[in-house]
Amino acid sequence: MEGLLEGWAALGRSLMERPHEIVPWVVLVLPLAGFVVLALFGDWMKKDREDAWAGPLACATVLGSFGLSVWVTLRLYGLTAGPGGLRFAQPYLGSEWIDVGGFRVAFSLLLDPLSAVMTLVVTGVGSLIHVYSLGYMAHDEERPRYFSYLNLFTFFMLLLVLGGNLPLLFVGWEGVGLCSYLLIGFWFKKDSASAAGMKAFVVNRIGDAGLILGMIFIFHQLGTLDLVDLATNAGALTREGTGVLGPVTIACLLLFVGACGKSAQIPLQVWLPDAMEGPTPVSALIHAATMVTAGVYLVARLAPLYQLSETALAVVGIVGAATALMAATIALVQTDIKKVLAYSTVSQLGYMFLACGVGAFGVAVFHLFTHAFFKALLFLGSGSVIHAMSGEQDMRKMGGLRNKIPITFWTFLIGTLAIAGIPFLAGFYSKDEILLGTLHAGKPILLGVGLFTALLTAFYMSRLLFLTFFGRFRGGHDLEHHVHESPVSMTLPLAILAAACFAAGRVRVPEIVAPVFRIEPRYAHHVEWLPVVATATALLGIALAGYLYLLRTDLPAKIGSALMPLRSLFEAKYYFDDVYDGFARKVVVKGSESLLWRRLDAGVIDGAVNGLGAFWEGFARRARLSQTGYVRAYALVILGGAVAVLGYLLWS
């Protein structure tokens, strides 16, 4: 007892003397504590009708983490009084976690500018989504389970961004994968929700295999998995040119496979649109600031390694550009309001990888930062629309909602203009930086893809806005009678996120996170005409959507009929799902049945076992004939044996 008291006293003294060393652990543990309480007492809350406390408890833990994250980030930059500010990229409070032979891993957290920005995004946007869920899930009987999953998800995401080494990052990586399965399939009685959760889980496991192999390869080559050591030692490695498949390139490409799985890039993008089967706040949590950005964070975190491989950078840039363009074209023909936003997320993630591919890692994090606010706003706004429409998600049954749900409309309008890249809003600044990066990297094709994708983004988001909020209501009189604005718990987060869309673009994230990458920026000056071209592109997309969906509403159907082959390609999502489904059914299932089961298992393994048993059974059947039961026969055998032995001895 005395030793325990001394330990608590030492912890208290440490907290008083060096609070910045304790606070990040509290930031991490608070959501986990909320999960533990809700998981243990959730059934009791439902039984005794105390489940109204589940939501506020979950919100309090994440809001507490956000407040402490703000404090420790200010302390990191020395903006608050007091000695002992944290230095960049310094792990602290680490303890030995794994020690097997020469493989040692510390359970240590890392707070530097990059992880600080990510922590603020995760806890800030996450807390708003928690608050929003108070109203959205108010009538769901499984509120304790829902909020416990949200808290657990937040814990694992914080572990992912604060982990000081790749194994600890991987624990958070797998944890958010597990929680995404639980949250996407939250309404598990719906077959579509269960199938979507399973699809997300399986596809992410494919990417995780690449991440595991990448970590093994890095440790084999460099002897460490510590993130600070990897960044420090990268300068001693040899740069590998285009087409060179050296150790750095192999490691970067393997890790990028994991990033493609988590961030839904080609060819592992198929899980994310189906994830819309979960509750809308879950869609906002997964698709805005947290899980899907983990792949971008991983690549940015290991920027010193990627910078050494021209091949890896080219692959990242090309995959990102192709994904951005492909997802934008698919979004053109979607009719489900959440599906449009889902493909928009895939496209914007492609934009982030495009920035990484041209060496603009700070700009990629900048777009991640701004995207978190306007995409969370759009998803939560769509949830407010669905709430007003009594669960309806088909935009063809909406229209004229701007006067019925005005707060949702005006906030959604701000989010739409932000993602389209209209000046003075967050998306304008980060998209402009990405296009600038492609220009200075000497990649005119990638610049063209980026501009065309920006045009498509402005078009399909304006299409969504006009179909939902303008024109006449197309859902029928009975449904129109029930349309109503969402409660304050839902509209307040919308208003805060809308305000953030104005402020986020003015935060100079590239300069803030630059010390982490330890590389010189590839460009230092702006091109005056580029913002003008980008803005004109966005305005052109909005104008085209307005002409087609406000003035000439008969044209979209005619254009769709004239371009039916292209439209069919977009509606079929480039047939990725069909190819994977055919591969799974014909190759995996039928191949396993005919080759592994019938031939290998039944034919070889079972045949060998059964054949061996049949052989000995036949042998025993024949051998038993020698057991006649007659004494004279046994005596004759004994005599014969004795004569044989005696003859052998005499002969030898």
Side-chain angles (χ1 to χ4, degrees), residues 296 313 316-317 320-321 349-365 367 430 433-435 437-438 441 446 522-523:
V296 180
L313 284 179
V316 172
L349 290 168
Y351 247 99
M352 298 174 203
F353 281 112
L354 171 61
C356 291
V358 298
F361 296 98
V363 174
V365 178
H367 196 55
S430 55
E433 295 284 351
I434 293 175
L435 296 173
T438 60
L446 296 183
R522 292 195 170 192
Y523 55 90

Side-chain angles (χ1 to χ4, degrees), residues 103-123:
F103 182 66
R104 292 184 175 86
V105 178
F107 196 98
S108 62
L109 303 186
L110 172 63
L111 186 68
D112 62 3
L114 178 57
S115 59
V117 169
M118 292 296 297
T119 301
L120 289 174
V121 170
V122 171
T123 56

